Amino acid sequence: MKKNNRLVTATTSRIALTTSALLAVAMTAVADIAVKNGEKIAFLGDSITQAGARPNGYVRLTIRGLESAGVKASAIPAGISGHKSNQMLARLERDVLSKSPNWMTLSCGVNDVWHGKRGVNLADYKVNITKIVDRCQDAGIKVVLLTSTMIGEDKDNANNKKLSTYNDFLKELATEKKCLLADLNVEMQSIIEASNDKKNGKLLTSDGVHMNADGNKMMATGVLEALGLNPEQIKAAQAAW
């Protein structure tokens, strides 16, 4: 009888230790995620971000992905169709700073290039984006820079070649300002290049620019990776979508 009691006690102890170990692993995984419970994330951008605030857009998928990893955060959608860096800078106080988020993701550059003569040249873009980042950081808001997604699903077209110089600047700025970076442009190119069926230029977009369902998932995945979700958490997030 005493032997059986010792066996039960030993088994119970092993279960308790296993449970504690699993709990510690889970807590460590959540601790590695940059965003914490109760924090607010502003999503500043153009029409891609505006559409991203819809139920299956990348803004909502990002929030759902965080929740699947044990982090309950809330979104402040701040995307307006057609907007460029100068317009985002002009409305930064109204749409972001006044709402006191803990984080802000910035998706900007497509219209600065795509709009041609009505766009924003690289020199002015650098000034605008730097001011946006500085003002956010001065207000205690942490910034995640997103490289601009492609303008047409062809990396070698003129717009994408020009856009690459804007994205190069964003990468440099992320390092300089110690911002998190989601390199969505590289991820988008990689997915398109690896696909056997390019779907006539609509693999990740509905029109070459604006994201379709798979494009929104690609963007959300990139943001979640930048925020620190590990591969297992990313898989869980994608399964929840």
Side-chain angles (χ1 to χ4, degrees):
M1 190 67 171
K2 288 182 179 179
K3 185 177 180 180
N4 287 339
N5 286 341
R6 287 197 299 271
L7 181 60
V8 170
T9 301
T11 301
T12 303
S13 298
R14 283 197 297 271
I15 292 172
L17 286 170
T18 301
T19 302
S20 297
L22 289 172
L23 182 60
V25 169
M27 290 176 68
T28 300
V30 172
D32 290 338
I33 299 173
V35 177
K36 306 306 176 187
N37 271 317
E39 291 191 330
K40 298 183 291 184
I41 308 171
F43 292 81
L44 183 62
D46 50 32
S47 57
I48 295 170
T49 300
Q50 185 176 36
R54 295 171 184 165
N56 291 313
Y58 85 90
V59 172
R60 299 300 174 190
L61 294 180
T62 297
I63 297 300
R64 285 162 56 188
L66 286 168
E67 187 168 2
S68 75
V71 177
K72 292 187 177 180
S74 57
I76 300 171
I80 295 182
S81 179
H83 270 205
K84 302 178 281 289
S85 58
N86 55 337
Q87 293 160 310
M88 292 185 204
L89 174 61
R91 64 183 174 88
L92 184 67
E93 174 64 39
R94 183 194 73 192
D95 291 349
V96 177
L97 301 182
S98 67
K99 298 182 180 179
S100 302
N102 306 94
W103 291 85
M104 184 194 75
T105 71
L106 177 60
S107 176
C108 180
V110 170
N111 292 326
D112 297 70
V113 171
W114 194 22
H115 288 188
K117 292 181 179 178
R118 295 181 295 106
V120 176
N121 65 51
L122 181 57
D124 289 340
Y125 176 84
K126 289 181 177 181
V127 171
N128 295 336
I129 297 298
T130 302
K131 285 182 178 179
I132 289 173
V133 172
D134 284 345
R135 289 183 62 187
C136 284
Q137 292 185 333
D138 287 346
I141 300 166
K142 295 177 279 289
V143 178
V144 184
L145 294 174
L146 316 184
T147 57
S148 297
T149 49
M150 298 167 71
I151 305 172
E153 296 188 13
D154 170 16
K155 67 178 182 179
D156 295 321
N157 69 35
N159 277 327
N160 281 322
K161 286 182 177 179
K162 182 177 179 181
L163 185 64
S164 68
T165 61
Y166 288 62
N167 282 333
D168 286 344
F169 163 70
L170 290 176
K171 296 173 192 177
E172 293 168 3
L173 187 67
T175 299
E176 178 188 342
K177 300 292 184 179
K178 296 180 171 57
C179 300
L180 297 181
L181 176 74
D183 198 346
L184 302 184
N185 190 280
V186 164
E187 181 62 20
M188 189 173 182
Q189 287 189 37
S190 177
I191 291 172
I192 291 169
E193 197 154 323
S195 176
N196 291 325
D197 182 2
K198 312 297 185 190
K199 297 189 183 297
N200 295 316
K202 295 182 180 180
L203 182 65
L204 297 173
T205 65
S206 60
D207 57 3
V209 173
H210 300 93
M211 297 299 119
N212 60 22
D214 288 332
N216 275 295
K217 290 175 183 177
M218 177 274 298
M219 290 187 69
T221 297
V223 174
L224 291 170
E225 288 174 341
L227 292 174
L229 271 70
N230 62 38
E232 291 74 22
Q233 290 166 327
I234 292 293
K235 286 180 183 177
Q238 292 170 336
W241 298 336

